[in-house]
Amino acid sequence: MLLTQGFRPFFLAAGLWAAAALALWILVLTNGLALPSRFDPLAWHIHEMLFGFVMAAIAGFLLTAIPNWTRRLPVRGVPLAWLAGSWLLGRIACLVSAGLPPWLAIVADLLFPASLVLVVAREIVAGRNWRNLPMVAPVALLGVANLLMHLEAAGVNLPFGLGWRLGLAAVTVLVSVVAGRIVPSFTRNWLARRPGSALPAPHGKVDRVALGILHAGLLAWAFFPEMKAVGAVLLAGAALNLWRLLRWRGGATAAEPLLLILHIGYGWLVLGAALLGLAQFDLGVPQSAAIHALTAGAIGTMILAVMTRATRGHTGRELSADRVTSLIYALVTLAAIMRVAAAFIGAWTLPLLVASAGFWIAAFACFLLRYGPMLTSSRPAP
């Protein structure tokens, strides 16, 4: 089953690596352990969250969406095995890169994003689905950002942190675009079955302007992380995207956590962009709070929201959250709240970091326990 539909191995990989990589990072942080990696421990943690966990989830989403976009059969068999194997090779190479020639670790790790770009582009072009061809760009940009992190670790003179900032900007751009498609669409379909409910506003000029300003601010921040003008652009982007979010009627979905969590995830994106904008000014807002509102908050929440919904839909389950699924959402939300709080409360930073990690690991462990059987079997899970 794992090699018949592209989302299956990558959703499992994302869930496993989200929990395992963070558990290893917390052990390193609290016990002073050393990793056999060319990346220092913090850089390894950042790298594996962005280019290990998040890239696996992105691959799962794209390989799920492409058959709907192109009306072609899902990527399966040898091409899918190649993608899964190259992802795993990258994780091993990065973990033990201190014992490898720099070029070998770089090639091993970049094999996956390069292969994913080629597969996605091939499927979209073969299906003549030109509307979705731009979706290749953020994935390619993630590959470039990954390369920059490797080059910096190898001693190449680059602006400090440019690689991870560019990677975070690319993922946030992708989340904002995809969410703008699925969140109001799924909400509209659900509310349409409830007579008298007001529907989300259609995509229009507000959305285009909100995205344009947000994307400009994020990409500018990647290159100019301390420029006050960039902060102003990010604040404007956050305000417009809050307006955008409110037009999607999230409050009306409170009865269905499978939908509500999508709105919460986008709310984290708005908060993260606002905090990132404020961090450019001397107002006492730590950049770490903004980064983790975007990562632990927006990205972590949206990934779990999409993986749970897509798994249920593509394995014939009801599109409604059961108790375990609701627990997953509560756990990832608590993890994000505590991680952002840790950036503000210096005296409690380490306990909050550990608690946040515990909630995060529990969220993905629950995902694996509940959704693992759905992803590995064609039979309905109990």
Side-chain angles (χ1 to χ4, degrees), residues 46-348:
I46 294 169
H47 183 275
E48 290 308 300
M49 287 293 102
L50 280 175
F51 305 113
F53 157 57
V54 174
M55 279 294 289
I58 289 172
F61 166 76
L62 289 174
L63 295 175
T64 303
I66 283 172
N68 296 328
W69 294 345
T70 64
R71 304 304 175 192
R72 288 168 56 82
L73 291 174
V75 175
R76 61 179 67 191
V78 173
L80 183 56
W82 171 268
L83 285 173
S86 61
W87 177 86
L88 181 59
L89 177 65
R91 309 289 55 78
I92 295 170
C94 288
L95 184 59
V96 301
S97 57
L100 301 174
W103 67 267
L104 183 58
I106 293 171
V107 169
D109 192 31
L110 293 183
L111 190 61
F112 173 64
S115 300
L116 182 61
V117 166
L118 291 174
V119 168
V120 171
R122 183 198 67 185
E123 291 298 309
I124 291 175
V125 170
R128 304 182 68 82
N129 182 252
W130 310 118
R131 173 177 178 264
N132 286 302
L133 191 57
M135 296 293 285
V136 175
V139 182
L141 187 58
L142 276 167
V144 173
N146 192 353
L147 173 61
L148 291 175
M149 278 203 76
H150 277 285
L151 293 177
E152 185 178 339
V156 176
N157 187 20
L158 292 167
F160 180 73
L162 175 60
W164 70 259
R165 288 195 304 274
L166 194 59
L168 177 55
V171 174
T172 307
V173 166
L174 188 60
V175 168
S176 68
V177 171
V178 171
R181 295 184 182 188
I182 66 174
V183 179
S185 174
F186 294 161
T187 303
R188 183 178 296 107
N189 293 341
W190 189 77
L191 290 176
R193 297 194 295 270
R194 286 151 181 80
S197 298
L199 301 180
H203 184 88
K205 187 175 181 179
V206 169
D207 302 88
R208 291 190 293 272
V209 172
L211 287 178
I213 293 175
L214 176 66
H215 297 172
L218 288 167
L219 293 173
W221 168 76
F223 291 94
F224 308 104
E226 297 180 356
M227 185 178 291
K228 288 182 170 57
V230 172
V233 175
L234 285 167
L235 287 171
L240 287 169
N241 276 274
L242 176 59
W243 184 18
R244 186 185 190 215
L245 174 61
L246 294 174
R247 287 157 48 91
W248 292 346
R249 301 275 298 141
T253 67
E256 181 45 74
L258 201 71
L259 268 176
L260 179 62
I261 195 64
L262 291 166
H263 295 266
I264 292 172
Y266 205 80
W268 276 111
L269 189 150
V270 170
L271 177 61
L275 290 173
L276 194 57
L278 291 171
Q280 311 310 305
F281 302 92
D282 298 324
L283 299 173
V285 176
Q287 183 173 261
S288 175
I291 290 167
H292 287 94
L294 290 172
T295 53
I299 296 171
T301 301
M302 291 298 285
I303 284 175
L304 278 170
V306 169
M307 291 199 306
T308 50
R309 184 183 182 91
T311 300
R312 299 189 75 87
H314 286 269
T315 59
R317 271 74 174 185
E318 181 185 4
L319 288 177
S320 184
D322 55 24
R323 290 182 179 178
V324 176
T325 304
S326 297
L327 175 62
I328 291 168
Y329 300 156
L331 289 169
V332 75
T333 300
L334 286 170
I337 291 171
M338 290 192 174
R339 185 58 189 86
V340 172
F344 286 99
I345 310 173
W348 287 86

Side-chain angles (χ1 to χ4, degrees), residues 27-50:
L27 286 174
V28 168
L29 180 67
T30 55
N31 294 282
L33 303 178
L35 293 175
S37 174
R38 184 166 279 105
F39 293 115
D40 64 66
L42 178 58
W44 180 85
H45 164 63
I46 294 169
H47 183 275
E48 290 308 300
M49 287 293 102
L50 280 175

